[in-house]
């Protein structure tokens, strides 16, 4: 964090508004933020209340030594402390091992029962752009998803909707080559580095536009499966209409049944900037008898984005004023305990580069036709300063 403040002060000191010479192109760029996230977790109703505080500093650095060449380093430093940390034995070790990358680029500077301090690089790549070609090597985010919530095409970096505080999402140690034949199409080939063949993720993606619709097709290998998928994005009337599907089949057991994951969504912005989104996910490998604990304990992948067979998502948001907005998200799965996830949120812009958020996550379940009961409740308060 001290590094961020020092660099910002240096940049401001170098600015000279009285200099009549033409401005030179910047050779580097530094951005980032500092966030303070307070968590209150209710266990067994209000019988047990656990608290946690997270101070999160992010540094995004880019260097442009020559035209077409960019070096990118992005680091996040997180300080966790509180009773919620203490209630999770081995929290620091699990935090340091939770990576989508082959190389360890993280350091646990403090690892105590109630206090954990970690720094990690989640982006570290070099990019070369020339004409119709673009090449990226290193830790990067490869996002092939189309929809807002569930992305069966995101075979490299699938993420959980619940992790709202990690906007950048995880990256992969990978190589990616992109070619743009014309303004309406592109071809990508990407591969993720792996220690074992069972962990390899490598695929090609073709994107093109026809009749105001963007289409994409992908094919490759995702860990122990061959995968084929497609997606689209366009409009029906004035509403956005998107979808993506992927089929996975074990290549070591060709006679077994594969799995299918597909999602569609319709969204629209109404008068006074009201926003509404409806999404549906079908996961052929999902359970019809899962319980709420599976929602947060299931390992997320493009093959298994949600533990239930069928899931429905609705989100509505409204900028009540230019500085204050409210949102509400719901996920319902008609199976097992008929799980409901309720996610209300409020956001207020205090001033330029300063934001405050209040977010809640509620999990409800109904077993064998019984009344709905809260199975998990958490409230988050966040203050963020961007620079």
């Amino acid at each position: 964090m001290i590094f961020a403040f020092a660099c910002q002060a240096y940049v401001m000191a170098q600015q000279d508004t009285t200099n009549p010479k033409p401005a030179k192109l910047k050779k580097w760029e530094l951005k980032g933020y500092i966030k303070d996230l307070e968590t209150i977790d209710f266990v067994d109703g209000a019988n047990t209340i656990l608290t946690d505080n997270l101070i999160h500093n992010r540094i995004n650095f880019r260097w442009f030594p020559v035209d077409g060449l960019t070096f990118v380093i992005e680091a996040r430093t997180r300080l966790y402390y509180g009773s919620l940390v203490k209630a999770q034995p081995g929290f620091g070790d699990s935090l340091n091992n939770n990576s989508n990358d082959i190389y360890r680029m993280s350091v646990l500077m403090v690892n105590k029962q109630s206090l954990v301090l970690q720094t990690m690089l989640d982006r570290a790549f070099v990019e070369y752009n020339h004409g119709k070609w673009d090449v990226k090597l290193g830790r990067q985010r490869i996002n092939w998803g189309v929809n807002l919530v569930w992305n069966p095409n995101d075979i490299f970096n699938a993420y959980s909707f619940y992790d709202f505080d990690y906007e950048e999402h995880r990256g992969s140690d990978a190589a990616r080559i992109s070619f743009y034949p014309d303004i309406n199409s592109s071809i990508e080939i990407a591969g993720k580095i792996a220690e074992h063949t069972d962990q390899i993720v490598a695929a090609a993606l073709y994107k093109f536009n026809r009749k105001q619709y963007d289409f994409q097709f992908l094919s490759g290998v995702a860990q122990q499966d061959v995968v084929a998928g497609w997606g689209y994005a366009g409009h029906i009337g004035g509403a956005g209409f998107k979808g993506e599907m992927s089929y996975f089949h074990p290549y070591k057991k060709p006679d077994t049944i594969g799995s299918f994951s597909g999602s569609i969504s319709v969204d629209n912005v109404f008068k006074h900037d009201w926003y509404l989104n409806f999404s549906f996910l079908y996961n052929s490998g999902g359970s019809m008898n899962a319980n709420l604990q599976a929602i947060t304990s299931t390992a997320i992948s493009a093959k298994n984005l949600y533990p239930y067979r069928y899931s429905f998502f609705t989100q509505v948001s409204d900028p009540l004023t230019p500085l204050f907005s409210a949102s509400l998200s719901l996920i319902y799965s008609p199976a097992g305990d008929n799980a409901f996830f309720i996610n209300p949120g409020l956001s207020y812009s205090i001033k330029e580069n300063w934001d405050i958020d209040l977010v809640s996550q509620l999990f409800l379940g109904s077993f064998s036709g019984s009344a709905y009961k809260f199975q998990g409740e958490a409230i988050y308060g966040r203050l963020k300063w961007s620079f």
Side-chain angles (χ1 to χ4, degrees), residues 100-103 105 122-127 135-144 155-157 170-177 188-194 199-203:
N100 192 40
D101 315 299
I102 187 172
Y103 299 113
M105 295 188 187
D122 63 356
R123 302 289 190 276
F125 65 86
V126 58
E127 179 178 10
V135 179
K136 283 185 181 180
L137 300 174
R139 182 163 298 179
Q140 58 187 287
R141 168 130 176 88
I142 302 175
N143 180 17
W144 287 356
I155 60 175
F156 288 92
N157 305 118
R170 299 187 303 174
S172 294
D173 292 330
R176 175 167 52 164
I177 301 174
E188 287 190 27
I189 299 175
K192 173 184 169 183
I193 301 172
Q199 300 171 337
I200 290 176
V201 180

Side-chain angles (χ1 to χ4, degrees), residues 142 144 151-158 201-203 218-222 227 246 248 302:
I142 302 175
W144 287 356
N151 302 118
N153 285 178
D154 200 359
I155 60 175
F156 288 92
N157 305 118
V201 180
L218 69 90
S219 179
V221 177
V227 57
S246 291
F248 301 84

Side-chain angles (χ1 to χ4, degrees), residues 4-205:
F5 284 119
C7 287
Q8 188 185 32
Y10 175 81
V11 173
M12 294 176 64
Q14 297 305 305
Q15 294 177 344
D16 183 2
T17 57
T18 63
N19 188 353
K21 295 181 180 180
K24 294 182 178 180
L25 293 176
K26 289 184 63 176
K27 287 290 186 180
W28 57 273
E29 178 182 87
L30 178 68
K31 295 181 180 180
Y33 55 71
I34 297 176
K35 297 188 291 189
D36 183 16
L37 179 69
E38 178 72 26
T39 302
I40 303 174
D41 195 0
F42 299 89
V43 182
D44 189 23
N47 292 324
T48 302
I49 299 177
L50 301 176
T51 61
D52 173 73
N53 193 260
L54 166 61
I55 298 176
H56 182 181
N57 171 220
R58 185 174 188 88
I59 300 294
N60 298 334
F61 178 75
R62 292 174 179 264
W63 178 41
F64 318 101
V66 296
D67 289 345
L69 186 63
T70 304
F71 290 88
V72 175
I73 294 288
E74 298 185 10
R76 60 196 307 230
T77 299
R78 293 174 290 173
L79 175 66
Y80 292 87
Y81 59 91
S83 59
L84 190 56
V85 175
K86 188 175 182 180
Q88 303 176 68
F91 175 80
D93 294 325
S94 64
L95 182 72
N96 217 36
N97 293 328
N98 184 20
S99 174
N100 192 40
D101 315 299
I102 187 172
Y103 299 113
R104 176 66 62 83
M105 295 188 187
S106 60
V107 178
L108 270 178
M109 293 175 283
V110 179
N111 188 13
K112 303 295 183 181
Q113 274 192 330
S114 301
L115 181 68
V116 173
L117 177 62
Q118 184 211 42
T119 292
M120 70 172 295
L121 298 181
D122 63 356
R123 302 289 190 276
F125 65 86
V126 58
E127 179 178 10
Y128 178 69
N129 181 277
H130 179 73
K132 297 182 178 182
W133 293 89
D134 184 84
V135 179
K136 283 185 181 180
L137 300 174
R139 182 163 298 179
Q140 58 187 287
R141 168 130 176 88
I142 302 175
N143 180 17
W144 287 356
V146 174
N147 282 325
L148 172 68
V149 185
W150 295 302
N151 302 118
N153 285 178
D154 200 359
I155 60 175
F156 288 92
N157 305 118
Y159 66 92
S160 171
F161 180 73
Y162 304 125
D163 193 5
F164 69 92
D165 194 49
Y166 191 12
E167 302 94 333
E168 297 81 12
H169 305 304
R170 299 187 303 174
S172 294
D173 292 330
R176 175 167 52 164
I177 301 174
S178 303
F179 175 64
Y180 303 90
D182 53 59
I183 195 172
N184 292 318
S185 64
S186 65
I187 300 171
E188 287 190 27
I189 299 175
K192 173 184 169 183
I193 301 172
E195 291 181 334
H196 308 288
T197 56
D198 288 350
Q199 300 171 337
I200 290 176
V201 180
L205 176 75

